[in-house]
Amino acid sequence: MAFSFRGRSINKVGVIGSGQIGPDIALHFVKVLHGFDASVVVVDIALDALEKGKSKLFKKIDKGGQTGAFKPDEVEGMKNHVLFTSDYNKLKGVDLVVEAATEDLPLKKRIFRQVEELVSKDTILTSNSSHLEPERIFDELKLKGRSLCTHYFFPAERNPAIEIIPGKDTNRETTEFMMRFYEKIGKIPIKVGSRYGYAVDPVFEGLLLACVQCVDAGLGDTKQIDYVASKALGLTVGPFTAHNLTGGNPITAHGLSEMHESLNAWFRVPDRLKQLLESKSDWVVPGRGEKIEVSSEQEKQISEELMGAYFAIVCDMLDAEIITTSDFDLLISVALDMKPPFSFMNSVGVKKAFELVENFANKYPPMPVSKKLKEQAASGNPWEILDVLFEKQGDVGIISIRRPKALNALNSKVFKELNTYCDVIRNDSGIKAAVITGFGNKAFVAGADIKEMAGLTDPTQGEHFARIGQIASAELEKLGKPVVAALNGFALGGGCELAMCCTARVAPKGMKFFAGQPEVNLGLIPGMGGTQRLPRLVGFARASEMIRTAKPISSTQALQFGLINEEVEGDVLERAIALAQDIAHGRLTPKPMEMGPVPNSPDELPDVDIGHLSRAIDALAVRAILEGGKMTLEDGLKNEARLFGQCWTTEDNRIGLKNFIEKGAKSKAEFVHR
Ligand code: CAA
């Protein structure tokens, strides 16, 4: 079975360069593609680099085998699908090339001249450059439309962030394909405009410079600055330590000197970095667990200076319009695992952030003061950071929930943003139908946000939370235009409930763990319509079993039960768009949801074994299902929200939510049935 996606097959991937990052990139591809019998070829002219790269990659595979991350047949399968070679001819037949050679423009150009002669005209050519604009790397290609930059982050096989940088000649189809392809194989691709250093490296490298400036200004030594930087910016390790660990000093020096020319003259190679490189030494950094003494005044000064630098650098990129606030926050939090810049500014106050930038720019000219930051501070509003994205494709509006770190869980912010887009769709006469989907390849939506619900304290708050979710999701039902749910991954709890508000639902074929109402595991009942719409869609017996036992069902069962309309072999989003158009243009009419009381609704439910689950919560679930069957959908929802709130009168509610927060989803709560 080949890996086919959006009209392209990926049977063979070429990775050029077996140095620092090439083998890690190859490992990610072989991990996700070997099951489709797709192979990965790593090419390098240096035999010792090939040897080292292969040994590093195989060691990581073996380690995965030992820890249980990979099954024994996967270990073998992965090793059998990767080839390390010095023979460029082995690139013949590749569908995708990722060049990961040294950051050297003439070298990269030479490689692509050679590669273009070997591959077909449809092969996509990408460079894992960390700085160079695609227009410069690919300017000698005959077919430039299929080329772009793809910037991975350390460690490339595990860090999901990836910057996608199309050049002025890259065609839209290539960019769109690469964005969706990386999402499909588990990455978090973020599109960034073509500019030297893209979005992340001016932050990573600029913060090292800002730290050196703090040392030069006598605010502390490298250990103290590193310690305060990690604390102030929410980094796992400070910039000096990060540079030591990644061997990043030479490339940062090169990047800073280029940014001096291409971005602004604040960027420069500080003398301390030059000396460090000449003496081939590392930064002096705190040892593991070492206690670093810093006075509170010193800590304040260092923190404010670094925040000024951080905010100045990111806002300058906003002015350059290469990235949005929402994308930048997600990218930085995933790629560098540090405080996302715009949320960070919101938390300290945008006005305060502006003052910090002004102070920094006055102290270190010619750092520019961002126009957009100035305007935002003057507006008195926080930055807008969206967790729900919207785009139009022809006459279809596409809503996408993007909270990858919480598996797209629904919180109050998401509900608000969903409402906004429902209004957009309703009021745009050019939009005839809509599709709702989740970001990534794992979850459509993993439910209502459990961390937010754990902060609720009484039945009134519980009921209110449920009503907000019910009303936001019912907007889809009442839109007056068809909405198809493209269930790109599992749909649990509020996710399944959101999907049930849609006109139709499609899911990937063969998902074993697909949909369910797992609320009872948490000492809750479904609160976004699960007890009302699920019986109306799949019947009372099946619905009550799913709700009362929390057992998930497969996509095949979902189709048999009538929960989804189709299982899809290819891309669910593409299929959902086509289906939405068919419904909008009258070519198909899915069965509508029963809005009145359910004819012949039962007075009691079949027995089910609820095992360790709470009998107190089960009683509320049974009431919501049975009482709701005899009501209109509208009244049933209100009743469900009230009973959802009643969960907060039980001890088991506290036990279930606390168990998830403290021990995670896999741990079983010890309910007391009260
Ligand atoms: N809310 C908030 N965060 C969630 C979440 C949710 N519903 N589901 C998952 N997450 C978070 C996890 O806490 C975790 O965060 P950290 O990395 O910070 O710990 C992250 O997403 C990844 O989750 P896992 O590590 O658990 O990933 P996994 O692949 O091992 O398991 C899963 C995935 C099966 C979805 C599992 O996370 C799970 O069972 N989640 C809970 C699903 C659930 O119970 N949904 C119903 C919510 S209640 C509801 O929806 C009420 C309603 O009707 C209104």
Side-chain angles (χ1 to χ4, degrees), residues 405-407 409 442 446-451 453 465 490 492-494 497 513 518-519 522 524-528 644 660 665-666:
K405 287 183 168 185
L407 299 175
K442 195 168 169 184
D449 192 315
I450 300 167
K451 290 165 194 166
M453 283 186 294
F465 181 85
F490 45 63
L492 301 176
E497 294 169 299
F513 176 87
E519 288 88 345
L522 303 159
L524 285 173
I525 66 165
M528 277 175 55
F644 182 82
F660 179 90
K666 287 181 190 74

Side-chain angles (χ1 to χ4, degrees), residues 428-451:
D428 184 338
S429 59
I431 298 182
K432 304 291 179 213
V435 164
I436 183 162
T437 192
F439 178 86
N441 66 354
K442 195 168 169 184
F444 165 61
V445 166
D449 192 315
I450 300 167
K451 290 165 194 166

